[in-house]
Amino acid sequence: MGASPAAAQSGSWTGPYFGGRLGYTSQPNDKDERVLFDTDLNGSFEDTVQTVAGADAFQRGFCGGATTDPNATNCRDRDGTEWAAHAGYDVQFGTSLVAGVVAEYGRSDIEDGVSAFSSTLAVYTLSRRLRDHASLRARAGISFGNTLAYATGGLAYGKIERRFTTSNTANSFDTTNDDDNAYGYRYGGGVEQRVSDRFSIGVQYLRTSLKDNDFQVRAGGTGLPVSNPFLLTNAEGTDFRRSGDRFTSNNLSVVASFHF
């Protein structure tokens, strides 16, 4: 017990490293999200879709999540695993301060949706799925010998797949920007433990927020009565989009790195 392995020898954190992380990504509660409508097609999504009697066609409300059930009372987003590969470089100043930069690329499988319920007992769901993602971040921390506690933050990128589904079979629906690139920021922190001169493991938390407000759907149709709520204000149809303009997620991962 008195013999210390090489893994316990304290060394500098200065130098390049590469590795990866694997963890679980969840999404914050967005139960207040709703669908916004532009009935007169003037570019302002502040309208109410009305029936010919003047009632709100979506008085049954909205839910923050995806569903295909027109009578659903609860909707859920899909969380899941996430992995990423990273490469970086750190410099240790003196005995404790460490600063550097890290770039990473990975894949995720999370989906964020919002659903709207009309008085005709139809459901309309807009969803977005995060697949490829990357970030370029600075990181700075304090070294306690073989242990490094750090904070990190920087720019983030994501490839977002968007989808629209509905149980309404009367109207036609055209979408714009089904798949698109999104940009934002990623920040967090972690603790890393050196178990040898070349290898370290740790845990890390990251919060990612991507700007995403380009997805729109136009409800139209031909041969429909003028009393159709989507055509009542403007015969060309009604545009709608989701109210939440950011795709936000939280990730907790196990991280491993090789140092040179």
Side-chain angles (χ1 to χ4, degrees), residues 18-258:
F18 77 93
R21 63 177 175 89
L22 176 65
Y24 188 79
T25 297
S26 62
Q27 300 171 67
N29 191 329
D30 57 358
K31 64 180 181 180
D32 295 330
E33 189 173 10
R34 59 192 305 270
V35 176
L36 304 178
F37 300 97
D38 176 16
T39 59
D40 51 13
L41 303 182
N42 67 351
S44 177
F45 289 82
E46 299 178 350
D47 302 329
T48 299
V49 179
Q50 295 182 328
T51 66
V52 70
D56 184 354
F58 285 87
Q59 60 182 339
R60 292 204 299 143
F62 312 90
C63 69
T67 183
T68 58
D69 182 1
N71 298 304
T73 58
N74 188 30
C75 306
R76 297 186 61 184
D77 293 326
R78 186 178 70 190
D79 302 330
T81 57
E82 178 175 309
W83 66 264
H86 63 253
Y89 192 94
D90 284 333
V91 177
Q92 182 165 335
F93 301 92
T95 59
S96 60
L97 181 61
V98 177
V101 62
V102 57
E104 71 171 10
Y105 164 81
R107 296 292 297 272
S108 181
D109 192 23
I110 61 173
E111 188 168 337
D112 174 36
V114 60
S115 299
F117 303 95
S118 69
S119 56
T120 56
L121 299 183
V123 61
Y124 307 78
T125 299
L126 294 88
S127 60
R128 50 194 174 196
R129 182 182 183 189
L130 177 62
R131 297 293 287 166
D132 302 77
H133 59 86
S135 66
L136 179 63
R137 309 189 309 272
R139 79 169 186 168
I142 301 296
S143 167
F144 302 93
N146 289 316
T147 304
L148 176 65
Y150 63 89
T152 182
L155 302 176
Y157 156 84
K159 181 69 173 181
I160 296 180
E161 300 174 355
R162 304 185 180 105
R163 186 178 61 167
F164 169 74
T165 60
T166 181
S167 61
N168 178 340
T169 58
N171 291 90
S172 62
F173 297 92
D174 296 320
T175 61
T176 59
N177 296 323
D178 292 350
D179 297 329
D180 203 2
N181 300 316
Y183 300 90
Y185 55 85
R186 175 175 285 171
Y187 66 88
V191 177
E192 194 169 340
Q193 178 68 39
R194 214 179 201 120
V195 296
S196 75
D197 287 342
R198 299 291 188 186
F199 185 68
S200 66
I201 59 174
V203 292
Q204 179 179 252
Y205 163 78
L206 292 173
R207 184 176 179 88
T208 303
S209 181
L210 301 172
K211 183 75 170 180
D212 178 52
N213 61 350
D214 295 332
F215 186 50
Q216 294 184 16
V217 180
R218 174 164 294 186
T222 57
L224 298 175
V226 294
S227 59
N228 184 283
F230 288 127
L231 307 177
L232 193 59
T233 301
N234 190 319
E236 294 185 13
T238 294
D239 286 346
F240 54 94
R241 62 176 175 83
R242 60 192 305 161
S243 62
D245 63 353
R246 302 205 73 90
F247 194 170
T248 303
S249 61
N250 302 295
N251 173 264
L252 185 63
S253 290
V254 175
V255 183
S257 298
F258 294 91

